[in-house]
Amino acid sequence: MKLARIPVAALVLVIGMIAARAEAAPTMAFGYLVNRSHDANYDYLETLFPNSFANALRNIFYVTIIKPGQIDRELGKDGLSLEKQYRPHELMELTERISADYFIYGDFDILPNDRISIRLNVYGRGLNRVFTFSNVGAMEKEIFKLVDRITLIMVDFLGKNNFFMSGIVPRGSKIGIFTNLQGADLNRLYCAFLNAGYGVASMQVNYIDNNLTADMIESFKCIEAAGTSYRRVSNPQAVRFLHGTWTGERYYEEITYTREAYRIYDAGYTAARSAVLNGLVARHAIDMVMVIGFNASRTRAWVRCLDIKNNDLIWMQSNIRGGLPGICSAILARMGTELTRK
């Protein structure tokens, strides 16, 4: 199989990112793409795809690439080998060991009508977060375009705006807005959406004051969904709930409460999130949940948009700049415009 080079449009997209990163080129390591089809005839794609993505990025982007074979040889010096699958918290040690800024891994499945679905995970060591997304294409006719599309998605995400978009927010949608604005600024935000033809559901009831600061809203940047996610990596092995005969009754009650909180909101986060989102759909007929975080001076914002009926993160963007009216206009223009991928 012969893979085409990335089109010139991709080069244009990354020029801004290269200029913004005057420091040393980031190191991107590629793991395997695991064959989920249970058909061994496609096992060769487990290394073909990561090598193809690595070559595509290296051809257009000032980056140091480490391919699966290179990682395996490096790990072999310590008696280890590159595994096909890693739990997210294991990537902390792996990227440290191979000195990689990013580690890209994933899987693929063969679908009916000769189509293939590829899911990629991009782990960033600096932020300790994983971005997960999927894309589908035809095995024979569109395989080159599929590689191009996925590479462009990675390029967008790795840029300073951490941009990703898989679909528009149709006018008439009812949007539950969660933000750190308050008072008159919050009303201006609501009015902008209402005037643009969207329904608005306040997720902060009707309080005039908002206790969320610019620092606190940052905690909501990470969203885990069924298809596309941007999630923080936690290490369950780093949490210890020590107790014994030396602990009193009050201490034991506190540590039991804390352990239960970790069970529900860390290990059981997916189930807890689904319960909340299902409640929003059932009781409030909300189509989308949009988290909009503003900096303290209201001159910059970031957005996360979750399609709660399909349980998918459809839009993610940072560094939206301007005053409040300009930011509102930019958000509304972007969310209503289809992003074309050839």
Side-chain angles (χ1 to χ4, degrees), residues 277-297:
L277 295 181
N278 290 338
L280 289 173
V281 174
R283 294 186 213 122
H284 305 288
I286 294 176
D287 301 304
M288 309 280 176
V289 169
M290 190 171 294
V291 183
I292 308 175
F294 289 83
N295 66 347
S297 61

Side-chain angles (χ1 to χ4, degrees), residues 6-238:
I6 300 303
V8 176
L11 179 59
V12 176
L13 286 172
V14 296
I15 287 176
M17 180 166 64
I18 296 172
R21 296 189 178 194
E23 67 271 19
T27 299
M28 304 186 69
F30 285 79
Y32 299 113
L33 261 68
V34 179
N35 179 9
R36 299 288 186 192
S37 71
H38 305 296
D39 185 340
N41 290 321
Y42 295 103
D43 282 351
Y44 72 98
L45 293 174
E46 293 188 333
T47 52
L48 180 81
F49 272 128
N51 286 337
S52 300
F53 293 131
N55 289 336
L57 281 172
R58 185 170 56 187
N59 286 341
I60 64 171
F61 180 36
Y62 182 55
V63 61
T64 300
I65 292 295
I66 308 177
K67 296 183 179 181
Q70 295 172 280
I71 298 175
D72 198 43
R73 287 192 294 273
E74 181 65 25
L75 293 176
K77 297 176 182 178
D78 296 322
L80 304 173
S81 61
L82 178 63
E83 303 292 338
K84 286 193 174 183
Q85 300 181 63
Y86 286 95
R87 289 175 292 181
H89 71 269
E90 294 175 329
L91 300 177
M92 302 177 189
E93 180 181 352
L94 175 64
T95 50
E96 186 72 28
R97 186 181 291 273
I98 62 177
S99 299
D101 299 301
Y102 298 95
F103 183 72
I104 300 170
Y105 63 108
D107 54 61
F108 67 89
D109 199 3
I110 305 302
L111 306 178
N113 300 318
D114 201 29
R115 295 181 305 150
I116 183 170
S117 172
I118 296 179
R119 180 176 61 182
L120 282 189
N121 306 288
V122 182
Y123 172 75
R125 185 173 63 160
L127 292 175
N128 198 29
R129 295 175 181 175
V130 174
F131 171 50
T132 300
F133 67 94
S134 303
N135 214 286
V136 176
M139 274 294 293
E140 297 299 329
K141 296 180 180 179
E142 295 183 5
I143 195 68
F144 309 126
K145 292 182 179 179
L146 179 62
V147 171
D148 287 355
R149 286 200 306 269
I150 292 177
T151 302
L152 288 174
I153 291 171
M154 284 193 287
V155 166
D156 283 343
F157 169 73
L158 294 171
K160 63 180 180 179
N161 294 330
N162 296 132
F163 177 78
F164 169 81
M165 193 170 196
S166 62
I168 65 170
V169 182
R171 295 191 186 276
S173 300
K174 189 172 183 181
I175 304 172
I177 297 178
F178 186 75
T179 182
N180 59 322
L181 292 182
Q182 63 179 350
D185 285 342
L186 182 58
N187 285 334
R188 292 187 185 100
L189 178 69
Y190 288 162
C191 286
F193 275 76
L194 291 170
N195 290 335
Y198 293 97
V200 173
S202 172
M203 297 183 65
Q204 291 146 290
V205 200
N206 58 352
Y207 296 130
I208 296 176
D209 295 325
N210 189 336
N211 293 324
L212 280 175
T213 64
D215 290 334
M216 292 169 64
I217 196 72
E218 290 289 312
S219 299
F220 295 89
K221 271 190 170 181
C222 293
I223 294 181
E224 186 174 346
T228 304
S229 296
Y230 183 56
R231 63 192 188 276
R232 183 178 290 105
V233 176
S234 61
N235 184 359
Q237 298 175 350

